[in-house]
Every structure is written in structure tokens, then in C-alpha cells.
Amino acid sequence: MRLTTLGFLVPWTVLICIQCSNWGIEVSAVWTAEARVGPAGAGEESGPVVGSGGEPTADLDQETAEIPLAVAPVPRLWQRFSFDSQHMGTTFRIILYATEEEVARRAAQAAFNRIAALDEIMSDYKSTSELMRLCQAFATEVGPPVRVSDDLFTVLTAAERLSRRSEGAFDVTVGPLSLLWRHARRTQELPAPQELAAARAKVGYDKVRLDPVRQTVQLTVPGMRLDLGGIAKGYAADQALQLLREEYGLSRALVAAWGDIACGDPPPTETAWRVQIAPIAAAHKPRFLNLSQAAVSTSGDLEQFVVIGGVRYSHVLDPRTGMGLTGRRSVTVIAPRGIDADSLTKAVSVLPVEQALRLIAETPGAAAYIALLDEATGEVREIASPRFAQFLAEPDKK
């Protein structure tokens, strides 16, 4: 994966731009170089009274002259910092604004440590992860419920809620099918019908029992395998932003992972982070968004797909059929939290357009943009939910 950061210097302004060739999203922000006084209240003390000549005036009475004069604090400039680290099979990028480099570095490292800890909990690639240990407990038989960590239970609860709302279009029990299609992409051969049927028998969100009182999980069919690939990165981005804000006081931050971005407060002097959605086809114009205290996720088969027998199959699976999606569709979802934006993109990708738009309309603060490409004609059909327009930004003027 190629990551580049471009900086173009113009008078007194720096244009900051992230380009991620296979993320499907570009982020930019403009920072005007100006003095910013640090924490709230830091600039509220009065400095010495200065006359026209720049020296303290001499016509103070005795009582006033004996009052110690406050020293004005040295203005501190906001600085932009960017940090990258590999987690969850992709590159996480943290962009934040701080007044001190050392604080920025400590904060970013703490956020990456949090993401790494979540990877150890939710990875379906690591046999030692908490998620895989949970699945292993039910590999051959239905044993007693297993108590899990707060993070894992939170994500599984959110996943179950969306599974019910989407009637199974989003389903983290899709793990057995994910394994089959990883093999299919390597060999460029469709899963055998008997293998597909055996995997589908172990899939179904109704086969997971969650007990919120005891915080336990039970899988009711032996051999089930959970796959959090459609929700974990969004949750990790949320948690990284929360840590930066609550433990380091850095609210002007953005966390990006592949096609998932969580935005905190905007950069200094700006009202929002500017995000570009990559077009579904080269001839199609990109879309631009203004986001603050919101998350965005894009899902599609622009990079991840396999062509078998002349049919293009997306890496996004329909849990109800066990098949990779066909037809070219790119989905972008905006939501207040990354965990919601991340998971909703998968549900909206799977559902018929009308049902997908109803799901978005029923989700507070959510908006969606769907692009459908007719490969025969090259025409692109665009559908947006009503709330999507409020996030649209003007395109770059070129």
C-alpha cells in the first residue's frame, strides 16, 4: 500500500493532504500559520500597560505601581503532526494538532498502543486473539458461555443490533465463508458447493447468545467462526480519538484506517476536515465532504475482488447466500461514530438500494452515498440519502 503526504507552500498557508491510493478516501485540511494561545484561559492575564513609545507608562499612582505586573504568556503555535503504524492488517494514520512535539508523540504512541491491544482482542488472523480463543471454546461442542472483555462485548453487541436491523445483511458470524473466499481469491476458483453449504450452516447472527448481565458469549453451533473485519477498524478509530481527547486533551485529531476515518474537532482556523471520496471509475468525478465530530467509511471492490469465470466477485460477502457480491457498487456512509459507519457500509453494500436507504434513514445522524457502475455502458448511477447533502463540500477548483 502506497501512502504519500503532499505539502504545498503558499503565502502563510500550508495545504495538508493525505493521499491513500487504496483507501478510497483522501483527507485534507488548511492550516493558516498564526499564533494560537494554548490552553483555555492562558491568554486572559493582562500584560504591562504600554504607552505609545513601547515602554511602561510612568503616570501610575503609588498604589497601582506596587501591584506586580503579570507577564504575558508566550504564544504557542498549533503544529500539525502525522504518525503511521501497522495494525489490523492495514496502516493506521493519526493526524493531530498540538503545541508541543513531545506531547504529540506520546499521545500518538498511546493511541497506537490502544489500537494494537484491540487487534490482540479482535483479530481473526491471530490464533491467540481473544476472539479466536472464544471461537476455539466452541470448536467441537457447545460449551458453557464464555465471559469476554468489555471491548469485545461492546463490538459484538453493536454487531448483533445491526444484524437484526439489516435482517442479516451484516453478520459477524460470516467467518467460515470468509475463509472459503480467501482461498478462492488465492486460487481463482469458486468454493465447491458442498463446502459452501457446510460453511453456511455455521453462519447466522441468531446463533450467538449474548448475556449483558454476565457479559458472556455462547456460540450455539460447533465450529462457528466470528469475523470482525467489517466493524473492528471503525471501533479502533473511535477508541484512539477518545484516548487522544480524554487523556491528552488533543481533540483536533483524525484517525484513518484503510477506508475508515474518524474525525474529531477540525484543525485550527478550520470548521471541518475535508475528505475526498475516490470515484468508482476513473472518468467519474470525486466527491468532497466536510466532517467534524463524525466518521466516514467507504466500501467497494475497487481494490479487493477476484474474477472467476468472467464474473467479478467483491471481497464483501452476502452472509445470507455465502457469495461475494457481483456488480459494481461503491458505498460511503457517514455516522457519528466509526463503529457505525464501518459496519453500515457493509449492510448498505449488501441490501437492495431502497432497503439500504431506509436503514440509513432510521439511523440517527447517518447519511449514505451509493454509486452504481454499469460496466457495459460505463454509466454511473448516484443515489444519496437526504442527510448526505449537509456534508457535501465544494470540489477543488482547477
Side-chain angles (χ1 to χ4, degrees), residues 98-151:
T99 57
E100 298 177 18
E101 180 177 358
E102 182 57 32
V103 172
R105 291 188 177 279
R106 287 202 311 268
Q109 187 57 60
F112 285 137
N113 290 344
R114 175 71 169 127
I115 295 169
L118 290 172
D119 195 12
E120 291 298 324
I121 291 172
M122 300 182 192
S123 173
D124 71 324
Y125 284 88
K126 301 178 181 180
S127 60
T128 58
S129 72
E130 183 183 0
L131 181 71
M132 289 298 95
R133 295 198 308 272
L134 170 65
C135 295
Q136 188 60 37
F138 301 96
T140 59
E141 63 180 359
V142 179
V146 175
R147 182 174 175 80
V148 298
S149 65
D150 292 347
D151 288 311

Side-chain angles (χ1 to χ4, degrees), residues 11-353:
W12 296 104
T13 300
V14 179
L15 174 63
I16 305 159
C17 177
I18 304 173
Q19 288 185 324
C20 308
S21 60
N22 56 356
W23 286 8
I25 287 182
E26 179 179 287
V27 181
S28 62
V30 176
W31 171 43
T32 302
E34 68 171 318
R36 304 284 293 185
V37 179
E44 296 174 359
E45 294 181 346
S46 299
V49 180
V50 179
S52 59
E55 296 295 332
T57 57
D59 58 348
L60 301 176
D61 58 33
Q62 183 65 28
E63 181 179 355
T64 304
E66 293 177 354
I67 299 176
L69 297 178
V71 178
V74 177
R76 291 183 293 176
L77 292 176
W78 287 106
Q79 299 178 64
R80 172 195 178 273
F81 299 92
S82 179
F83 307 92
D84 291 349
S85 189
Q86 295 287 325
H87 302 285
M88 295 185 172
T90 189
T91 298
F92 274 77
R93 171 162 292 182
I94 294 176
I95 299 176
L96 60 84
Y97 286 82
T99 57
E100 298 177 18
E101 180 177 358
E102 182 57 32
V103 172
R105 291 188 177 279
R106 287 202 311 268
Q109 187 57 60
F112 285 137
N113 290 344
R114 175 71 169 127
I115 295 169
L118 290 172
D119 195 12
E120 291 298 324
I121 291 172
M122 300 182 192
S123 173
D124 71 324
Y125 284 88
K126 301 178 181 180
S127 60
T128 58
S129 72
E130 183 183 0
L131 181 71
M132 289 298 95
R133 295 198 308 272
L134 170 65
C135 295
Q136 188 60 37
F138 301 96
T140 59
E141 63 180 359
V142 179
V146 175
R147 182 174 175 80
V148 298
S149 65
D150 292 347
D151 288 311
L152 184 54
F153 196 83
T154 295
V155 171
L156 290 177
T157 300
E160 181 188 50
R161 186 182 308 115
L162 181 57
S163 293
R164 295 187 184 281
R165 294 182 60 220
S166 66
E167 299 179 1
F170 178 81
D171 192 337
V172 298
T173 69
V174 76
L177 294 170
S178 298
L179 290 179
L180 286 183
W181 281 94
R182 288 173 192 171
H183 181 74
R185 286 195 291 272
R186 290 194 300 269
T187 62
Q188 296 193 338
E189 295 180 355
L190 287 176
Q194 62 271 22
E195 292 178 328
L196 199 59
R200 287 182 61 192
K202 301 172 185 176
V203 175
Y205 67 90
D206 57 337
K207 297 178 175 65
V208 180
R209 294 178 181 171
L210 303 178
D211 185 339
V213 176
R214 295 180 175 82
Q215 198 167 299
T216 60
V217 181
Q218 186 180 42
L219 308 182
T220 63
V221 175
M224 292 179 66
R225 183 183 177 96
L226 306 183
D227 181 351
L228 303 182
I231 193 170
K233 290 192 292 294
Y235 179 72
D238 287 339
Q239 292 299 300
L241 270 187
Q242 181 177 327
L243 182 147
L244 292 172
R245 182 180 64 252
E246 294 183 356
E247 297 190 17
Y248 291 88
L250 301 176
S251 65
R252 300 180 185 276
L254 174 150
V255 180
W258 196 267
D260 299 293
I261 294 180
C263 303
D265 291 336
T269 77
E270 295 298 313
T271 59
W273 295 90
R274 182 177 174 83
V275 177
Q276 177 181 324
I277 307 170
I280 192 172
H284 190 51
K285 293 182 179 180
R287 291 279 187 149
F288 295 85
L289 306 174
N290 285 330
L291 299 176
S292 177
Q293 292 293 338
V296 60
S297 179
T298 293
S299 181
D301 63 354
L302 184 64
E303 296 287 341
Q304 299 188 67
F305 63 91
V306 62
V307 178
I308 303 175
V311 179
R312 180 185 177 115
Y313 295 93
S314 170
H315 73 292
V316 179
L317 307 178
D318 186 337
R320 304 164 300 181
T321 66
M323 297 298 291
L325 300 181
T326 57
R328 300 294 305 280
R329 179 186 293 199
S330 176
V331 172
T332 296
V333 172
I334 300 167
R337 302 185 304 168
I339 189 174
D340 298 318
D342 189 5
S343 53
L344 279 167
T345 56
K346 313 310 182 294
V348 172
S349 295
V350 171
L351 290 171
V353 171

